[in-house]
Amino acid sequence: MAILVTGGAGYIGSHTVRELLEQGEKVVVLDNLCKGHAAVVPEGLLVRGDVQDKELLHRLFRRYEIEAVIHFAAFSLVGESVQEPLKYYENNVVTAQRLLTVMQEYGIKKFVLSSTAATYGDPQGIPIQETDPTIPTNPYGETKLAIEKMLRWCDVAYGIKSVALRYFNAAGAHPEGDIGEDHRPESHLIPLILQVALGQRDTISIYGDDYETQDGTCIRDYIHVMDLAQAHWLALKLLREKGTGGIYNLGNGQGFSVKEVIARTRAVTGHPIPSRVSARRAGDPAVLVASAAKAESELGWRPKHSGLGEIIASAWNWHRRHPSGFADHEAD
Ligand SMILES: NC(=O)c1ccc[n+]([C@@H]2O[C@H](COP(=O)([O-])OP(=O)(O)OC[C@H]3O[C@@H](n4cnc5c(N)ncnc54)[C@H](O)[C@@H]3O)[C@@H](O)[C@H]2O)c1
Ligand SMILES: O=c1ccn([C@@H]2O[C@H](COP(=O)(O)OP(=O)(O)O[C@H]3O[C@H](CO)[C@@H](O)[C@H](O)[C@H]3O)[C@@H](O)[C@H]2O)c(=O)[nH]1
């Protein structure tokens, strides 16, 4: 039996594929490479294609005996989703609906979703708990929340059990230094700061310093990609051993402002990293910090690489070794 990993050529997906293989799982990756990199997928595991392609899904489900699906494939940029909401509804909600439709036809009953802290919107309390209100401030968060709701009804109607993992801000890279974060264009804070340290950018823009936070800049909970990878394995175990699913926050429970992240990156890299304040980015909540108590008690998940310095150092290790990222990107 194999695990189908959609979006497994992407950043978090590729680290999770590594973890699954280390656990002895058989894996098939489905990725259209619109954002991902063929080079990160181990030889022979990549099926190149779109998750929306139902014919392809039928061929896949006939060819491989799929036990469970881990669904990373999506668009995930907060700012872009505000500019182009329909693109997000199409590739996130429609794609998930098609995938679940074909899964249901083949009787596949285990599903793990990459969900997000963006489902909460502006939180009513910190740290955020899974039972807190979900009022997204951007279309990206709305689309992930829509998929979570779809999953609930798929359980009621078809018995598809699912785990929705609400990641906070993924960062860092594999300790072996051969896979890491390479989004094109890059929009995430830590890799952009590291591009300044590498001399590829002159400054890092701080998107707004007039938020109601201690230093006026947005606060996020940065979580190591290897800890996220491990959570997917634990989610599979939960589905297999308990036959139940759930919604889980994945974060360290500690928030860092944009200015603090820049300062910590200066310390890790030894580079001055000039910054300048620019306008707020649409759709950004001021503070997102997780309570991951539920993931700890029900999944047995505890982050192993929780220090911000360690997270940045592992990203820096990858970026220094791959200053131009992966060589195989479609857009190159
Ligand atoms: N990076 C974060 O901080 C973060 C935080 C919370 C949630 N997430 C979620 O985690 C998932 C992975 O994020 P990431 O940062 O690794 O993104 P990513 O862009 O690196 O990976 C997504 C992968 O999906 C593929 N893909 C997209 N649409 C597809 C389609 N229709 N068919 C086939 N392949 C498709 C892309 O080519 C890419 O390889 C996303 O669902 C995202 O919403 C990410
Ligand atoms: O050049 C930059 C880039 C980002 N930021 C800020 O840095 C913080 C982090 O931004 P970014 O790294 O782009 O991540 P988020 O927008 O917080 O979103 C990430 O984290 C979310 C969960 O919290 C996920 O859902 C998203 O998919 C993922 O992209 C935000 O306050 C941004 O406004 C800057 O100030 N300057």
Side-chain angles (χ1 to χ4, degrees):
M1 298 285 274
I3 310 299
L4 176 65
V5 180
T6 75
Y11 170 46
I12 307 169
S14 60
H15 289 75
T16 302
V17 167
R18 280 281 178 93
E19 171 70 18
L20 294 173
L21 293 173
E22 262 172 40
Q23 297 291 348
E25 298 290 341
K26 194 174 167 211
V27 172
V28 181
V29 169
L30 175 60
D31 198 301
N32 63 8
L33 302 182
C34 68
K35 304 276 181 189
H37 310 276
V40 302
V41 183
E43 187 86 30
L45 300 191
L46 177 64
V47 175
R48 184 176 174 173
D50 201 298
V51 183
Q52 285 204 29
D53 182 345
K54 276 193 177 178
E55 280 310 307
L56 173 61
L57 291 178
H58 280 284
R59 285 203 299 280
L60 261 175
F61 288 136
R62 277 198 297 264
R63 178 164 167 205
Y64 301 96
E65 219 185 320
I66 303 293
E67 178 205 353
V69 175
I70 304 184
H71 183 48
F72 291 97
F75 291 145
S76 57
L77 302 180
V78 168
E80 182 186 65
S81 79
V82 178
Q83 314 303 326
E84 298 184 72
L86 293 176
K87 176 175 166 179
Y88 278 69
Y89 277 87
E90 174 73 25
N91 201 40
N92 296 0
V93 183
V94 174
T95 298
Q97 182 267 333
R98 292 205 179 156
L99 176 60
L100 285 158
T101 301
V102 182
M103 276 180 63
Q104 185 256 327
E105 288 174 38
Y106 285 79
I108 298 160
K109 304 267 192 219
K110 301 186 189 85
F111 190 86
V112 181
L113 174 71
S114 295
S115 191
T116 169
T119 51
Y120 292 107
D122 281 313
Q124 294 194 346
I126 293 292
I128 303 170
Q129 297 183 336
E130 291 83 351
T131 46
D132 286 353
T134 44
I135 310 167
T137 54
N138 53 68
Y140 164 59
E142 289 283 7
T143 62
K144 292 285 181 168
L145 192 58
I147 303 170
E148 288 187 4
K149 289 182 178 173
M150 199 185 324
L151 287 170
R152 185 163 85 79
W153 294 112
C154 285
D155 182 5
V156 173
Y158 317 122
I160 295 176
K161 301 290 174 194
S162 64
V163 174
L165 298 174
R166 290 180 176 164
Y167 323 149
F168 283 60
N169 287 55
H174 198 282
E176 284 171 19
D178 59 335
I179 54 174
E181 185 168 12
D182 181 8
H183 292 115
R184 315 242 181 135
E186 191 52 78
S187 66
H188 294 89
L189 182 64
I190 291 176
L192 286 175
I193 302 174
L194 292 174
Q195 288 179 5
V196 180
L198 283 169
Q200 296 170 343
R201 276 172 196 273
D202 295 336
T203 59
I204 181 74
S205 292
I206 297 172
Y207 295 151
D209 67 350
D210 56 351
Y211 286 94
E212 278 187 27
T213 60
Q214 220 168 356
D215 64 18
T217 67
C218 285
I219 292 176
R220 294 287 179 276
D221 182 339
Y222 294 88
I223 178 76
H224 201 293
V225 68
M226 297 304 295
D227 287 325
L228 292 181
Q230 208 226 352
H232 292 78
W233 161 242
L234 294 172
L236 265 183
K237 273 182 63 167
L238 181 83
L239 290 167
R240 282 174 177 160
E241 291 169 10
K242 300 246 163 74
T244 59
I247 294 174
Y248 298 95
N249 287 341
L250 298 178
N252 280 308
Q254 247 193 308
F256 293 94
S257 72
V258 173
K259 283 186 178 170
E260 285 173 329
V261 175
I262 296 170
R264 197 64 66 89
T265 311
R266 286 189 184 115
V268 168
T269 62
H271 190 280
I273 309 183
S275 65
R276 67 187 165 83
V277 176
S278 58
R280 287 184 177 199
R281 187 174 63 180
D284 274 345
V287 183
L288 291 172
V289 178
S291 160
K294 189 180 172 200
E296 184 175 348
S297 70
E298 295 184 15
L299 295 176
W301 180 75
R302 285 195 77 156
K304 295 191 179 102
H305 313 278
S306 55
L308 181 64
E310 184 187 350
I311 293 172
I312 294 171
S314 86
W316 178 228
N317 180 41
W318 188 80
H319 282 274
R320 255 189 316 183
R321 290 187 194 199
H322 303 83
S324 312
F326 296 109
D328 70 331
H329 195 267
E330 292 297 290
D332 290 345

